[in-house]
Each structure stands twice: as structure tokens, then as C-alpha cells.
Amino acid sequence: MPTPLSPVPSVALIGRTNVGKSTLFNRLTESHSALVSEVAGTTRDRKEGDCLWRGRIIRIVDTGGLDADPNDDIERNVIKQAEIAIKMADIIYFVVDLNTGMLPQERDLAKKLVASKKPILVVGNKAENMGAITSVHEQQWRFPGLSVPIPVSAVRGTGVGDLLDETYDLLQKLGRPPAEISVVQAVRIAVIGKPNVGKSSLLNAILHEERFIASPIAHTTREPIDVRVNVGDRSYVFVDTAGIRKKSKVKDAGGLEEAGVERTRKILRKTDVALFVVDATEPIGAQERVLAGLLKEAHVGVIVVANKWDLVPNKTPSMINDFEKHIAASLPFISWAPILFSSALTGQRVERVFDLVDTIQEHRFTRIPDDELEAFQLAAVRAHKPSKGKGPKPPKILGIEQVDIAPPSFQVVIKAKRLDVLHPSYLRFLEHRLRGRFNLSGTSIRLGVRGIVSA
Ligand code: GDP
């Protein structure tokens, strides 16, 4: 019986001992270690972990050296595990050490790998100097059925982005695209909005069942509970579904009682993507502005659900446009959030929520390769010179670094002692441009400044 394909494509690291497979494994899986716990089935001789690249997951399987002694009982198992890994893998990384050249036992290994008929990328590790990097074109690395090594340094992390880009494209070509994050981890969704906009009705429509009471009277939603929903091979958890409540006569804090604000903050700490429900028949008001502030502060992904769309008469494209402008202008904190015009009552476009959530979750986990970020920075500075904040002259921008994901977080590195020499408006310019250049809709971005004195 054929083994069922895992929804997550995998890459097996194969190579002799000491080429740096474990270091490479750690490097590849580091960004993801916070996201998912160890994958089950990991054995001493076969270690599995997930690699997050361009917002998607590739499983990495590390094996013991395939040059183990077949006459030794323990080492025989190492070989067996490596063979299993090769068989299950979508791609093989044949890891070699650029400084030692190809050793005789590696030629045997290479023959075995080519015979497996699996797609192979030769990874030339320890490429820490020019000599090692250029050596990939030497005759010694030419091997029938293999392409030249891709130079990387597992210790420093250089070249790993290019390797992953190539892997990503190859997996896509093989029809085994890297998996969406929601395949390995449930996306946590919160439904928020002021009373009566249709939160319960929307949840009902999404879940296709009357688990929550939809009622014209506010305050009738039942106790908060988390609800898990499976759609295909993905899981979603709707967190704490009671929503925000309004104290009827209190008008301060934008009409939201303090407890509501605190409760929302608490919910958003557990949330990946929030469905921010507004009533399409009413203008955006003070309560929505307070909520938008909370969403921004929590750095969650956001979809604005313009509900009760069925009640809007004579819908025209220009009206939709006006409404979008109205929302963007009224809620500048989250002007990057996509708007879903839907009706919980008729079910119109409600099913689109899951696709949108997946897309946004992917954007939240975007990691932009260093070279693309560098090209972006150079073009941005060419288009618009850094504007001066405090101090005698505008600072020189040395680079932009991505320092985190979920949400994508960047630091603008400037040559200066103090950070306020860069005008805050320049950060807004950069954010706007980042969003235009890279697909980041639905996710907030953190953009900070780091100053260094000499460079
Ligand atoms: P919540 O307080 O935000 O949870 O709002 P509810 O789900 O209780 O809905 C408030 C009222 O709006 C109820 O009378 C719903 O039937 C109604 N409602 C909710 N969604 C829609 C919609 O898409 N279209 C229309 N016409 N009515 C809706």
C-alpha cells in the first residue's frame, strides 16, 4: 500500500559525518521552533523539525551519517533511518564540506543518492571564505546526476536563504508546495466588534450551526468558549466567542466599558487573526476606533467584515469604493486590513473567511530574504531621501533588517547616536512602500530604528 503523502513536504539531510548537518538542521528550523513543538516520530537517529520560509512550512529531516559501519548493530540502524528518510523525502540535501573536497566515501554515497531518483540539491557547507565559495565550480564537485553545490554557511546563516528559495521553487515544481501554517498549527481567530453588528450571526454562519444565539437583543451571547473547526486538512480555533459588551448608559471610553477593553486585550493576546465585524449600514464610530487601536496594539492579523451587506440597497462599485475609503479614513490604525463585504444572514461571502485567514497568517509569517530587503532599501532611499527629525542633518540609512515574524518586524539601521534624527514620517513612508513591494495585507508591521555610530 502506498504511504499516504504528508501534507507537509520534506527535505532529508544526507551526508557523511562532520559536514555540519546538525548545524544546518538547527539553522533551518530555528525560525519555526517557537511555533510548533517537536514533531512526533523523532528518533535519536532521525530528527525532524519544521522550517518556515516565505510564510510556509517545509519539514526537515536530519539523519545520522550514511557512512556508518554496516557491521555494527547500532550503526546499522543509523543507515536504516537514513534510508527511510530518503524514501519519504520530497527532496534530498546532499550536504558536503567545501573545504575538504569530495571524499571517496562521498562518491559512493552520491551514487546511492542518484540511484534513488529523488530530486537532489547539493549543499556546499562551510562556505565562509571566497575560496570555498568559488570552489563549487571545480571539477571535483562534478558528479553525474548532480548539479554544482549551493554554497552556504550553516554557522553564519549565509546562503541559506538562497538554498531555501531554490527548495521552495523546486517543491512547487514537483507539485508538493510548502504547506500553509494552518496545516501544522491551528490558526486562532477572534470575532470582535461592538454589540449588534452580527458577531454571533456571523459565527453561526461560519460554523453552519446554531451553536451561538443570534438575537436582536444585545448581551445574549453565551459564555466564552473556544471552538475548533476543521476545514479540509486545516484547523482553526475561534477563541473566546462572547465578544465585547457595552454598558448601556456609560458613554466614556468611546462607549466601551473598561472591562470590555481589558477583555478584548486578553482575547487578542491569544489571537492570530481577528475578524473585526462592523455594520455596513452604519458609519464607523468611536467604539470601532477604540477597537482598531486595540487590534493595532496587539499586532494581530485583521479582516474587517462589513456585515449586513444585504441591507445596503443599490450596491454599485463606486459605493463599495466609498465605503472602503470611509473605513480606511476612519480606522487609519488598520488601513492595511482587507475588507470582506458579507452577510451573516444570507451567508454571502462568509465562506471566504477561511481563505483570507490563511493568506493573512501567511503574510504574518513572511520572512523577506536579505538581498530583497537590501534592494528595497536602496530603491526607497533613491526615491525619497531620509527626512530630518531632530538634529542638524538627516541620517544616513545603512540598511533594513528583519528581526522577527508574526508580525513581520524590521529595524531601520541608521548611522547616528540618537534615533530621533530620522523623522517619524520616514518610517510611515517606508512602511507604505514595504507593503507595496511585498505582499503584507492583513498584517501589522513593526518598524523600529537602530542607530550605530560607526560603519
Ligand atoms: P452581535 O451582538 O454582534 O453578536 O450581533 P447578533 O449576531 O446578535 O446580531 C444582531 C442583529 O443583527 C440580529 O437581529 C441579527 O439577526 C441581525 N443580523 C446579523 N447579521 C446580519 C446580516 O448580515 N444581515 C442582516 N440583515 N441582519 C443581520
Side-chain angles (χ1 to χ4, degrees):
M1 218 173 70
T3 348
L5 277 181
S6 156
V8 186
S10 73
V11 170
L13 306 188
I14 309 281
R16 66 175 170 84
T17 345
N18 268 327
V19 288
K21 290 192 304 299
S22 299
T23 316
L24 183 62
F25 175 85
N26 292 338
R27 173 65 69 185
L28 292 169
T29 55
E30 67 186 349
S31 64
H32 195 47
S33 51
L35 192 69
V36 201
S37 55
E38 289 252 313
V39 180
T42 297
T43 68
R44 195 177 61 80
D45 302 318
R46 207 173 86 218
K47 210 162 59 176
E48 298 190 358
D50 286 339
C51 168
L52 185 66
W53 190 244
R54 295 200 224 151
R56 296 201 174 214
I57 306 288
I58 302 167
R59 188 147 295 158
I60 309 292
V61 185
D62 184 18
T63 64
L66 249 190
D67 51 350
D69 177 3
N71 298 316
D72 180 309
D73 273 354
I74 297 172
E75 300 211 351
R76 226 189 346 262
N77 187 45
V78 175
I79 297 176
K80 197 170 136 227
Q81 292 299 333
E83 281 168 353
I84 293 175
I86 294 174
K87 208 157 135 201
M88 313 250 288
D90 294 279
I91 292 179
I92 291 166
Y93 280 178
F94 177 29
V95 189
V96 298
D97 178 342
L98 290 181
N99 298 299
T100 62
M102 206 191 258
L103 304 185
Q105 72 259 43
E106 282 176 314
R107 304 196 82 82
D108 293 341
L109 189 48
K111 263 186 224 154
K112 247 196 219 176
L113 294 181
V114 172
S116 77
K117 300 246 166 18
K118 291 274 175 169
I120 301 167
L121 293 176
V122 185
V123 181
N125 193 26
K126 310 192 190 177
E128 275 118 41
N129 56 61
M130 227 36 214
I133 294 169
T134 49
S135 75
V136 301
H137 298 292
E138 287 170 10
Q139 186 60 33
Q140 59 166 328
W141 296 117
R142 302 255 165 86
F143 194 91
L146 296 182
S147 49
V148 296
I150 300 166
V152 305
S153 165
V155 171
R156 294 192 189 157
T158 47
V160 173
D162 292 340
L163 172 66
L164 285 172
D165 274 344
E166 196 150 327
T167 307
Y168 193 104
D169 294 344
L170 182 55
L171 283 170
Q172 233 149 8
K173 252 187 247 154
L174 295 168
R176 292 279 289 150
E180 290 181 26
I181 293 160
S182 47
V183 171
V184 292
Q185 196 194 45
V187 187
R188 299 180 66 83
I189 305 172
V191 182
I192 71 155
K194 68 176 184 188
N196 263 317
V197 290
K199 295 182 298 297
S200 314
S201 314
L202 181 74
L203 211 46
N204 267 330
I206 291 173
L207 303 177
H208 295 298
E209 57 176 89
E210 301 293 311
R211 193 194 291 266
F212 300 93
I213 304 165
S215 134
I217 309 152
H219 305 263
T220 51
T221 316
R222 283 192 209 151
E223 280 308 292
I225 32 165
D226 293 351
V227 186
R228 179 178 282 267
V229 190
N230 293 318
V231 180
D233 55 6
R234 301 181 198 147
S235 296
Y236 306 83
V237 172
F238 286 86
V239 295
D240 194 317
T241 45
I244 284 192
R245 288 145 195 225
K246 193 169 97 176
K247 214 191 233 166
S248 48
K249 292 196 181 66
V250 180
K251 285 275 189 288
D252 61 345
L256 285 170
E257 57 177 326
E258 240 347 271
V261 169
E262 263 328 297
R263 239 178 57 94
T264 307
R265 279 210 179 98
K266 217 165 126 203
I267 293 168
L268 293 178
R269 277 202 286 276
K270 300 184 285 185
T271 300
D272 293 307
V273 179
L275 307 184
F276 181 19
V277 187
V278 301
D279 188 329
T281 66
E282 290 178 0
I284 300 292
Q287 296 191 68
E288 271 93 7
R289 280 194 284 279
V290 172
L291 288 172
L294 296 179
L295 289 167
K296 164 84 179 164
E297 168 194 298
H299 285 292
V300 295
V302 181
I303 300 170
V304 174
V305 180
N307 191 37
K308 308 196 186 177
W309 192 236
D310 57 293
L311 292 181
V312 176
N314 312 321
K315 296 181 259 286
T316 60
S318 77
M319 243 182 66
I320 294 177
N321 206 349
D322 287 349
F323 196 81
E324 281 173 341
K325 276 196 197 137
H326 168 62
I327 290 184
S330 316
L331 306 172
F333 291 148
I334 53 165
S335 55
W336 37 260
I339 303 168
L340 183 68
F341 294 92
S342 74
S343 165
L345 194 70
T346 66
Q348 189 189 13
R349 281 192 279 272
V350 164
E351 84 293 346
R352 292 268 304 278
V353 160
F354 291 109
D355 277 347
L356 260 176
V357 164
D358 287 346
T359 305
I360 292 177
Q361 184 72 336
E362 218 173 278
H363 293 173
R364 293 182 71 233
F365 283 89
T366 298
R367 193 177 283 278
I368 301 172
D370 293 346
D371 53 344
E372 288 182 33
L373 210 47
E374 190 187 340
F376 166 83
Q377 176 246 320
L378 294 174
V381 171
R382 253 200 315 275
H384 184 355
K385 293 255 168 312
S387 25
K388 190 173 78 69
K390 302 240 166 65
K393 60 177 186 353
K396 185 172 159 52
I397 293 188
L398 301 172
I400 299 177
E401 299 168 342
Q402 180 165 5
V403 290
D404 211 349
I405 43 174
S409 307
F410 305 90
Q411 265 183 351
V412 181
V413 187
I414 58 173
K415 191 173 174 181
K417 267 200 213 111
R418 34 189 294 190
L419 304 182
D420 54 7
V421 293
L422 185 66
H423 199 273
S425 67
Y426 199 72
L427 291 181
R428 289 196 290 277
F429 157 74
L430 284 178
E431 168 162 356
H432 186 72
R433 212 172 149 106
L434 264 174
R435 289 186 180 281
R437 167 68 182 77
F438 304 101
N439 203 347
L440 296 166
S441 72
T443 179
S444 68
I445 295 178
R446 283 182 211 259
L447 199 55
V449 184
R450 184 162 75 85
I452 51 178
V453 178
S454 60

